[in-house]
Amino acid sequence: YQGDSIVLQARITNLDTAALNGVLNCVVEDAVTGENVSKLLVKNNGKQIQIDAHSNTNGFVNVTVPEGFIHPLKITISVSTGTFSDGEEYTIPVLSRKILVSQTQAFAVDKNKSSVVTTPAMPADAAPYAVSMYIKPKPQTALVNALPYLAFYQYNCAEQTFNKMLAHAVAIKLAQKDSALNTSMHAAGDHKEEATKPVADELSEETMPWMLLNHATQLQQQRLKKLMDTTAGKNTVNKYMKEIAALQKPDGGISWFSGGESSNYISCYLLGGFGKLKRDSISFLFNNDSMLFSKLLPSLVQFVDTNFSKAGQYNFPELFYLYSRSFWRNQFPISTNSQRKADSVLTAYWKNVDRYDLSRQALLVITSLQFDRFKDKALKQLESIRQLAIADNTNGTRWKAYSNEDDFSSSDEETIAMLAEAFEATGYSKATVDGILQWLLTSKEQHYWSTTKATAAIVNLLQRNQQTATGLPATLKSGINKTALTVTDNLFG
């Protein structure tokens, strides 16, 4: 910490057959500026060292960090003899002794009146740092805010590439159909947020970006505006479609990465994902002459159908296959043999339904309803699940036990989104679905959920259930010590 005095010890080993005499030196540089600050920080430098043959000794130097110094220190400790030298280098961070204490005060505003808000009392020894003003975002903005996380995710496996395409496709749909969103975007104009200047003794954002995220909001807004460009968005969607098509193997299956083997799971995941896009009226992808219908989907369906007919010889996600395949029964009818096997699989699953975690129970309910098999069992099981829910007006609807401890195939949010889809499938459980949405909107981390799969599942759920993505933006203006503060819940401003 600033102001600390520390003793840096060094273990010195002589591997030679003769005794050695040398000098212990410590060089300290400012890791940001490169300036040599050894004279300012180091005491007892240049100490004489004597060490016998094949033996060890210790040396030390005293380093004192000035009160106002905040940059990391690059420390090099070396021993030099008349003929050679050796040493090691380390970088040590220096931490401020100051502690940031923030106090939040909630207040309500009448749009027709001015309000006076008194700032809370601070500790006697506190030095004022800043005042900020914050508008609680509208719950429905979670959908729009989550899209950049998916669209600009840094990795590129098949699942993440598909969900990048999903984000751009949903953004295009919103831009085309959501008038409130367009009003919000146009109201923001081309305003650029002024970057916050760091305090004099703090590091720049470029040096330690995890400490000073001054431009996080600005970057989020820039990405949102880029996403809402429908022309560029369609080009980006086509680009990702080509990348997914390039992952399709000669047998029709999809590999996780380029050069890999066909994967049953990711093939079913993409088949179901395309099915959801079609179901949710993101229709510009689905022209009859598009790449999807002319090549990718027919081969993909044939691959998963073939593997389903062979299931039992090796691991195959039978229930997940039936769920994904159900979206395409009209375009690509299921063979009679596969239909009989589907009935057999569903029968076997229903015999053991109470042994499964909530995620698999929800998947079984949805699949049974979509195939119009075991409908009474599905509705009865779903009612049992509903009775296990915890619901309140503040947190919404959720379940205490999401999945078995040894099941890591899906996150909590994915399970909840799957349950919401199951209740949606009944057509008369809107209150439960609304409660689940409320819980999901309060459980997110920052602008997204725990994984890209979870975020994609919830994006799908939100865009089906929200009439508007943003609502009309609100702006709040205030003044403190003759300084004006303005804040808006406009996502683009």
Side-chain angles (χ1 to χ4, degrees):
Y1 286 89
Q2 292 172 322
D4 276 352
S5 293
I6 59 176
V7 177
L8 293 179
Q9 294 198 18
R11 182 180 181 182
I12 305 158
T13 302
N14 180 11
L15 301 178
D16 205 343
T17 55
L20 294 174
N21 295 322
V23 178
L24 177 68
N25 281 303
C26 178
V27 176
V28 181
E29 294 181 358
D30 183 322
V32 176
T33 66
E35 178 186 1
N36 189 325
V37 291
S38 304
K39 292 182 180 179
L40 180 65
L41 275 68
V42 182
K43 296 180 180 179
N44 65 305
N45 212 352
K47 184 178 181 181
Q48 295 292 324
I49 297 293
Q50 294 180 334
I51 180 169
D52 296 332
H54 296 298
S55 63
N56 303 317
T57 189
N58 291 320
F60 68 90
V61 292
N62 297 93
V63 177
T64 301
V65 182
E67 287 287 347
F69 199 92
I70 191 62
H71 292 174
L73 301 175
K74 186 170 76 171
I75 299 177
T76 305
I77 299 179
S78 63
V79 172
S80 302
T81 68
T83 55
F84 68 93
S85 66
D86 193 15
E88 292 186 352
E89 178 182 289
Y90 304 90
T91 298
I92 300 178
V94 176
L95 305 180
S96 172
R97 289 191 178 276
K98 295 179 181 178
I99 298 173
L100 179 63
V101 178
S102 61
Q103 296 193 39
T104 303
Q105 181 168 324
F107 60 94
V109 175
D110 186 334
K111 65 180 181 179
N112 298 317
K113 298 179 182 178
S114 296
S115 302
V116 177
V117 181
T118 304
T119 55
M122 300 296 290
D125 60 346
Y129 178 76
V131 175
S132 61
M133 189 166 60
Y134 175 74
I135 295 181
K136 188 176 181 179
K138 298 179 180 69
Q140 63 264 37
T141 61
L143 169 59
V144 180
N145 269 326
L147 295 179
Y149 165 71
L150 282 182
F152 300 100
Y153 197 71
Q154 57 185 325
Y155 300 115
N156 295 293
C157 74
E159 175 256 313
Q160 289 150 358
T161 300
F162 174 83
N163 286 325
K164 288 179 183 181
M165 185 190 71
L166 167 70
H168 283 278
V170 171
I172 292 169
K173 178 183 176 182
L174 292 175
Q176 291 175 337
K177 297 186 176 182
D178 193 324
S179 58
L181 180 66
N182 281 305
T183 300
S184 178
M185 183 167 61
H186 293 141
D190 294 324
H191 167 73
K192 292 184 179 180
E193 181 180 311
E194 183 179 350
T196 306
K197 295 181 180 179
V199 177
D201 65 347
E202 290 182 329
L203 298 176
S204 67
E205 184 175 357
E206 290 75 15
T207 306
M208 285 188 168
W210 57 92
M211 294 180 66
L212 288 176
L213 298 176
N214 290 331
H215 302 107
T217 301
Q218 185 178 358
L219 179 61
Q220 175 79 354
Q221 291 166 356
Q222 289 172 350
R223 287 177 168 177
L224 280 175
K225 290 179 181 179
K226 186 176 181 180
L227 268 174
M228 296 303 158
D229 183 336
T230 55
T231 301
K234 288 182 178 180
N235 291 334
T236 303
V237 167
N238 290 331
K239 167 181 169 287
Y240 288 132
M241 275 298 308
K242 292 177 181 177
E243 291 181 11
I244 292 171
L247 294 174
Q248 190 167 36
K249 312 302 289 184
D251 61 5
I254 305 290
S255 62
W256 280 95
F257 296 97
S258 178
E261 297 182 355
S262 296
S263 163
N264 290 319
Y265 176 81
I266 197 60
S267 296
C268 290
Y269 181 85
L270 294 187
L271 185 65
F274 284 122
K276 292 176 185 178
L277 286 175
K278 188 173 186 300
R279 174 196 64 187
D280 297 338
S281 302
I282 303 178
S283 56
F284 65 89
L285 283 171
F286 299 101
N287 299 322
N288 288 330
D289 59 347
S290 68
M291 181 191 304
L292 265 176
F293 280 112
S294 62
K295 180 184 176 183
L296 195 150
L297 277 177
S299 300
L300 183 57
V301 168
Q302 184 178 1
F303 170 80
V304 296
D305 283 357
T306 300
N307 282 345
F308 177 66
S309 67
K310 298 177 182 177
Q313 299 177 10
Y314 53 92
N315 184 33
F316 185 80
E318 293 175 327
L319 188 58
F320 190 47
Y321 157 81
L322 292 176
Y323 167 76
S324 302
R325 188 65 174 83
S326 66
F327 292 100
W328 300 103
R329 287 183 299 150
N330 293 331
Q331 289 81 3
F332 305 100
I334 297 176
S335 69
T336 303
N337 288 337
S338 292
Q339 184 65 62
R340 281 198 292 264
K341 183 164 186 178
D343 289 342
S344 175
V345 168
L346 291 175
T347 300
Y349 271 98
W350 277 113
K351 287 181 179 179
N352 300 294
V353 62
D354 292 328
R355 298 180 184 178
Y356 302 137
D357 57 45
L358 286 180
S359 177
R360 189 166 296 188
Q361 288 184 41
L363 191 61
L364 180 57
V365 168
I366 298 168
T367 304
S368 297
L369 292 175
Q370 289 182 340
F371 274 88
D372 198 21
R373 297 288 195 277
F374 305 100
K375 184 175 180 180
D376 291 341
K377 285 180 177 289
L379 296 177
K380 183 179 178 180
Q381 188 67 26
L382 201 56
E383 176 59 20
S384 297
I385 293 172
R386 189 193 64 79
Q387 292 179 11
L388 294 173
I390 303 169
D392 60 66
N393 293 332
T394 302
N395 299 305
T397 303
R398 68 273 188 209
W399 283 261
K400 184 177 180 180
Y402 299 106
S403 60
N404 295 332
E405 292 181 0
D406 58 349
D407 183 4
F408 299 105
S409 61
S410 62
S411 67
D412 293 349
E413 298 101 326
E414 286 177 80
T415 298
I416 294 294
M418 184 67 73
L419 285 167
E421 188 175 347
F423 283 104
E424 275 185 296
T426 67
Y428 53 79
S429 301
K430 187 177 186 306
T432 303
V433 175
D434 289 344
I436 292 174
L437 285 171
Q438 184 179 352
W439 183 85
L440 289 170
L441 293 174
T442 59
S443 69
K444 66 181 182 299
E445 177 182 330
Q446 303 274 332
H447 293 317
Y448 50 88
W449 287 265
S450 59
T451 65
T452 52
K453 279 177 62 187
T455 303
I458 296 167
V459 162
N460 270 318
L461 180 64
L462 290 175
Q463 61 97 14
R464 287 198 306 275
N465 285 274
Q466 291 185 174
Q467 296 301 313
T468 176
T470 58
L472 295 176
T475 300
L476 182 64
K477 296 181 179 180
S478 70
I480 179 169
N481 295 343
K482 299 181 180 181
T483 299
L485 294 178
T486 302
V487 63
T488 175
D489 60 1
N490 187 337
L491 299 179
F492 303 94

